[in-house]
Amino acid sequence: MSEIREMLKERTKQFSLRVIRLYGTLPSRGAAQVLGHQLLRSATSVGANYREAVRARSTAEFRAKLGECLKELEESAYWLELFSDSKLIPATKLSGLMIETEELTKIL
């Protein structure tokens, strides 16, 4: 079980880092910054909430924190879809993050 926990800790951290790097490439103003900030907030919350879940003091707390992870992943998926649909970022540049968002959602 600890191997899975460690793998998910690393995977959620890498997800956050990928979004941080994407954010760094965005234009410095306009809609891209607004959407980027929202994506940055939700995506980085996934890993933070997962780490809190791992340290949960009860099953109920663990489930609640995993629920927060899922909410943040769904929100991240929304912002990624808006970037793609608005053509602010080419879909090809987002496909890896969109796939990872979906995979993490399925795992959690």
Side-chain angles (χ1 to χ4, degrees):
M1 185 66 125
S2 65
E3 287 179 32
I4 293 170
R5 285 182 180 171
E6 288 304 312
M7 180 271 300
L8 281 171
K9 280 174 68 174
E10 184 59 28
R11 200 160 164 179
T12 57
K13 180 180 172 184
Q14 289 305 314
F15 177 70
S16 296
L17 289 170
R18 287 172 70 184
V19 170
I20 290 167
R21 287 191 290 274
L22 175 69
Y23 182 79
T25 68
L26 296 175
S28 60
R29 58 180 193 216
Q33 278 296 304
V34 173
L35 296 176
H37 181 74
Q38 294 292 337
L39 174 61
L40 185 65
R41 188 202 55 75
S42 62
T44 56
S45 291
V46 175
N49 280 306
Y50 182 74
R51 286 180 180 224
E52 288 181 33
V54 168
R55 299 281 184 215
R57 294 168 291 197
S58 67
T59 300
E61 186 178 357
F62 177 77
R63 288 181 180 157
K65 285 297 173 185
L66 284 187
E68 289 298 316
C69 290
L70 291 169
K71 284 172 50 179
E72 297 295 349
L73 282 164
E74 188 61 36
E75 184 176 334
S76 295
Y78 176 73
W79 301 124
L80 289 167
E81 288 171 19
L82 285 179
F83 268 121
S84 178
D85 293 350
S86 67
K87 307 222 184 316
L88 287 168
I89 300 176
T92 55
K93 190 173 180 181
L94 297 172
S95 64
L97 275 171
M98 294 174 101
I99 290 167
E100 183 65 358
T101 303
E102 190 177 315
E103 288 180 4
L104 285 170
T105 299
K106 288 177 181 178
I107 292 167
L108 295 175

